[in-house]
Amino acid sequence: MDIRKLMLALIAFLAVGSAYVVLNNTPKWPFEFKRGLDIQGGMHLVLQAKPTTEIKEITPQVMSAAMAVVRARVDGLGVAEPLIQPKGEDQIIVDMPGIKDKDEALRILGKTAVLTFRARKADFPQGKPAPKDLRASPAAAAQASPAAGASPAASPAVAGTKPSAAPTGKPTGKPTAMPTTKPGDEWVLTGVEGRMITQARVEPLGTSWAVTADFNGEGSKIVADVSRQLLGKQMAIFLDNQLISAPVVQSELNTGNVQISGNFDAKQANELMIVLRAGSLPVPLEVVENRSVDASLGAESVRQSVIAGGVGYLLVIAFMVGYYRIPGAVACLALIIYSFIVLAIFKMIPITLTVPGIAGFILSVGMAVDANILIFERTKEELKNGRTIYAAIENGFQRAFTAIFDSNVTTVLACSIMFYFGTGLVKGFALTLAIGVLVSMFTAITATRNLLHWVLESRGFKSPTLFGVQVPSKIR
């Protein structure tokens, strides 16, 4: 089998496979289109971290802690696939698709982070009840009161100076199986608070990692007293009433620092360190932008975008077939293959589709045809100069390649700049356009070229007039 037949087989495989991915919407199918905020509706917020008397400057360390707090709170709201990203030096963008209780979201996200260390009431009877004004998420409730039969071996990270069994909990605010001593068991405050932490850092510990938290003078005294009473028992870490980890105290903590270990990998340890910093660097978050998007508005935008895309497709097909004849029809076939490949990529990664993202895809369709136009114009020039059909096609592709490559590279560079410096919807537009441009390089050059040679194997399609060129019959 020659190289051309192999390429045709590859093109056919990509076309059929991509079409199957795009059109398959069965319940168990793992791929689906992710709809952005402007399509399915929801809430767009911009939060700004504000300095306090204790924290006079918003540093990158403060922002990473604030991001951890916002992410934990959004997870607790039950938002599916939120977008949380920094903006500038002191702002955070939060997109929450499908959010229902918008007033509750505003109230929760604007709070200052509260990190507390708690113990079970049975182990620490003198502890104060946890405050009720903070949100007690379903995740935290599941952690504090698990289903019957939870094993004590499921205890997560271990506090103290020695490593222990592998943890089951991760500092993400998600449910973790927690052992309980009896029905109705509850967590109470120990007096140890996040504001008492002066530093949190990740350190290697044998083949795993540990997190060390340093306390100020006030915190050191309280930690020493509490750890003395909780030897062999749990002292849990809560962020905004959400259970993050429940270490077991292995020794009296009277040195002013606490090491939390338990076969953490680097990522788990880093996440826990950020949570501890969130409590030690609490800053208020002010909502500086609040925009709600109704789902019906998003659906109307998608409908209009689909109509615009369909009309654009028909106009492109009509122009290409009418002006370039056979090559134009082949280019339209390659364009259909291109569309399926790009949409399959969007679905498999997956790419969150927004209205600007759909616009970027539609724009890339025009750019994909633009490459074919350059090639076909070069081919027509070669035919007018007396080249044979095959020679004209080959020279057309070769001579147009440099212009196509340069124009596509500059477009991808522009998309990279927009993606790096842009936010939210701008990033979606840049990403979909860049993917479309890269795929169009394959379909416009490789797919169109091989399909055109395949069509020309029939004698009936070898006339230059079918390429929109009138030349003397002796050079046909």
Side-chain angles (χ1 to χ4, degrees), residues 269-349:
N270 189 65
E271 288 175 345
L272 181 54
M273 177 194 68
I274 291 175
V275 168
L276 293 176
R277 286 180 176 177
S280 65
L281 301 170
V283 291
L285 298 172
E286 179 181 328
V287 180
V288 296
E289 183 181 342
N290 173 14
R291 185 171 72 247
S292 297
V293 180
D294 186 71
S296 61
L297 176 62
E300 179 64 17
S301 299
V302 173
R303 188 184 69 83
Q304 292 176 355
S305 299
V306 171
I307 292 175
V311 172
Y313 250 93
L314 292 177
L315 291 176
V316 167
I317 291 173
F319 171 77
M320 293 297 290
V321 174
Y323 192 77
Y324 292 106
R325 313 289 175 81
I326 292 300
V330 172
C332 291
L333 177 59
L335 190 62
I336 295 173
I337 296 173
Y338 158 84
S339 300
F340 276 120
I341 293 176
V342 172
L343 291 175
I345 291 174
F346 290 170
K347 202 171 184 181
M348 293 173 68
I349 290 180

Side-chain angles (χ1 to χ4, degrees), residues 145-385:
S145 301
S151 169
S155 173
V158 174
T161 57
K162 300 178 181 178
S164 75
T168 59
K170 297 179 182 179
T172 59
K174 298 179 180 179
T176 304
M178 298 296 298
T180 53
T181 54
K182 60 181 179 180
D185 200 11
E186 61 179 296
W187 299 99
V188 294
L189 299 176
T190 61
V192 183
E193 301 175 1
R195 63 178 180 82
M196 301 173 181
I197 298 175
T198 59
Q199 185 181 9
R201 59 188 179 277
V202 174
E203 298 177 337
L205 185 65
T207 58
S208 63
W209 295 83
V211 179
T212 299
D214 296 336
F215 286 81
N216 58 21
E218 177 190 6
S220 297
K221 294 178 182 178
I222 299 176
V223 167
D225 181 60
V226 171
S227 64
R228 192 179 303 115
Q229 301 178 58
L230 293 177
L231 279 175
K233 299 173 184 177
Q234 290 175 302
M235 183 165 66
I237 303 170
F238 279 77
L239 180 65
D240 291 343
N241 264 5
Q242 238 178 326
L243 181 57
I244 304 300
S245 185
V248 175
V249 179
Q250 295 282 18
S251 62
E252 185 177 333
L253 308 173
N254 53 13
T255 61
N257 60 68
V258 175
Q259 185 182 77
I260 304 174
S261 60
N263 290 343
F264 288 127
D265 59 28
K267 181 180 178 181
Q268 292 171 335
N270 189 65
E271 288 175 345
L272 181 54
M273 177 194 68
I274 291 175
V275 168
L276 293 176
R277 286 180 176 177
S280 65
L281 301 170
V283 291
L285 298 172
E286 179 181 328
V287 180
V288 296
E289 183 181 342
N290 173 14
R291 185 171 72 247
S292 297
V293 180
D294 186 71
S296 61
L297 176 62
E300 179 64 17
S301 299
V302 173
R303 188 184 69 83
Q304 292 176 355
S305 299
V306 171
I307 292 175
V311 172
Y313 250 93
L314 292 177
L315 291 176
V316 167
I317 291 173
F319 171 77
M320 293 297 290
V321 174
Y323 192 77
Y324 292 106
R325 313 289 175 81
I326 292 300
V330 172
C332 291
L333 177 59
L335 190 62
I336 295 173
I337 296 173
Y338 158 84
S339 300
F340 276 120
I341 293 176
V342 172
L343 291 175
I345 291 174
F346 290 170
K347 202 171 184 181
M348 293 173 68
I349 290 180
I351 301 294
T352 300
L353 290 180
T354 61
V355 173
I358 296 174
F361 167 67
I362 295 174
L363 178 60
S364 69
V365 171
M367 299 186 69
V369 174
D370 178 64
N372 288 129
I373 290 175
L374 290 174
I375 294 168
F376 297 157
E377 286 297 328
R378 283 286 191 177
T379 301
K380 289 172 69 174
E381 290 179 5
E382 295 294 323
L383 287 172
K384 290 176 182 178
N385 290 334

